């Protein structure tokens, strides 16, 4: 698979560029939506949670921005990745290329958009007075963990969605429910220690907490939890490759 991807590296590169440009095609503000969307979401939650739910988290807007931007990265990749095979039905029927290029392109273009959005977090860190710490050097480890996890998931979901079209809607529903089970808007410390382990069953909890430890709390991230999440992501990735390679044989027929 790696050999084939290398042979088609130019096609992969072109596809990533197409995904990035296509996201904002015809939009007046273009790439600025990468900044505006999370800011608008943060504004809404900053109003709702502190005043209605009486959340007293210090620097709350910065706190949720650090959660919302990685979560947007997650939901965008999973939603677009699940649909990527069906969305490219015409080219799949006409041209041969390694089909795994499509989910990899979605995951990689999502990563690029996420990196474009990172300055928003840095801006809030500066304006809130939190600033930066030496632990920021560990940020790439968390980003790589999230990238592999998302790629692993969409390798499975995009293949299944070809055969079971309802999968797309089921996955979108699961993502919506998962949002409330992930500490994007709140801290796990709101819950008793005895039940926090339930939140940690969700790998995205470890990812979000990793970002917060490095950027918000400015402490050493929990590497045992991060490497466990990375290990789980790699296992899911290997399973995803097996499932994808098995199901791709009839993609052209099914779509």
């Amino acid at each position: 698979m790696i050999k084939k991807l290398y042979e088609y590296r130019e096609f992969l590169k072109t596809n990533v560029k197409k995904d990035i440009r296509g996201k904002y095609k015809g939009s007046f503000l273009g790439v600025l939506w990468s900044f505006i969307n999370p800011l608008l979401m943060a504004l809404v939650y900053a109003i709702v949670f502190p005043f209605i739910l009486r959340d007293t988290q210090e620097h709350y807007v910065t706190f949720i921005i650090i959660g919302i931007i990685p979560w947007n990265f997650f939901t965008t990749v999973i939603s677009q990745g699940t649909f990527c095979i069906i969305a490219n039905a015409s080219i799949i029927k006409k041209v041969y290329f390694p089909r795994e290029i499509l989910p990899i392109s979605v995951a990689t273009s999502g990563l690029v958009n996420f990196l474009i959005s990172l300055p928003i977090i840095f801006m809030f860190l500066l304006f809130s007075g939190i600033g930066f710490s030496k632990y920021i050097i560990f940020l790439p480890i968390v980003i790589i963990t999230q990238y592999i996890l998302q790629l692993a998931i969409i390798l499975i979901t995009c293949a299944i969605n070809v055969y079971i079209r309802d999968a797309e809607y089921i996955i979108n529903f699961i993502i919506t429910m998962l949002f409330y089970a992930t500490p994007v808007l709140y801290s796990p410390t709101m819950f008793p220690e005895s039940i926090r382990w339930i939140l940690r069953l969700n790998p995205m909890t470890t990812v979000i907490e990793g970002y917060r430890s490095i950027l918000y709390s400015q402490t050493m991230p929990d590497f045992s939890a991060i490497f466990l999440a990375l290990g789980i992501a790699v296992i899911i990735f290997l399973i995803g490759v097996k499932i994808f390679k098995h199901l791709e044989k009839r993609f052209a027929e099914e779509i």
Side-chain angles (χ1 to χ4, degrees), residues 1 5 11-12 15-16 18-19 73 76-88 92 97-111 147-160 162 237 240-241 244-245 248 251:
M1 186 182 77
L5 288 174
F11 180 71
L12 175 60
N15 221 47
V16 170
K18 183 196 75 174
D19 285 347
F73 176 27
T76 301
V77 169
I78 301 303
S79 298
Q80 293 180 357
T82 299
F83 193 66
C84 68
I85 301 297
I86 294 173
N88 290 276
I92 287 175
F97 60 92
R99 309 311 191 200
E100 52 270 29
I101 280 180
L102 296 175
I104 291 172
S105 297
V106 172
T108 305
S109 62
L111 174 63
Y147 175 82
I148 295 174
L149 176 64
Q150 292 169 178
L151 177 56
I153 292 171
I154 63 174
L155 277 169
I156 298 171
T157 59
C158 72
I160 292 175
V162 171
F237 174 77
V241 169
F244 188 91
K245 298 302 288 183
E248 73 167 338
F251 280 176

Side-chain angles (χ1 to χ4, degrees), residues 116-132:
I116 291 172
S117 301
L118 274 182
I120 299 176
I121 295 178
F122 298 155
M123 179 182 70
F124 273 86
L125 289 171
L126 288 172
F127 290 158
S128 65
I130 296 174
F132 302 96

Side-chain angles (χ1 to χ4, degrees), residues 38 41 45 64-79 114 121 146 149-150 171-185 202-205 207-208 211-212:
M41 288 177 67
Y45 292 128
I64 58 174
I65 278 286
I66 294 171
I68 284 174
I69 290 179
W71 181 258
N72 279 355
F73 176 27
F74 176 76
T75 56
T76 301
V77 169
I78 301 303
S79 298
F114 173 67
I121 295 178
Q146 183 175 0
L149 176 64
Q150 292 169 178
I171 289 161
N172 285 335
F173 173 77
I174 291 171
I175 289 174
T176 302
M177 295 297 101
L178 199 60
F179 176 72
Y180 298 101
T182 306
V184 177
L185 305 178
N202 172 9
M204 278 303 293
T205 294
V207 170
I208 298 295
Y211 287 117
R212 289 229 174 97

Side-chain angles (χ1 to χ4, degrees), residues 191-216:
F191 299 92
E193 184 67 41
S194 58
I195 63 171
R196 284 182 208 167
W197 64 272
I198 299 175
L199 290 176
R200 296 192 183 104
L201 292 175
N202 172 9
M204 278 303 293
T205 294
T206 299
V207 170
I208 298 295
E209 285 299 287
Y211 287 117
R212 289 229 174 97
S213 295
I214 293 167
L215 300 171
Y216 181 80

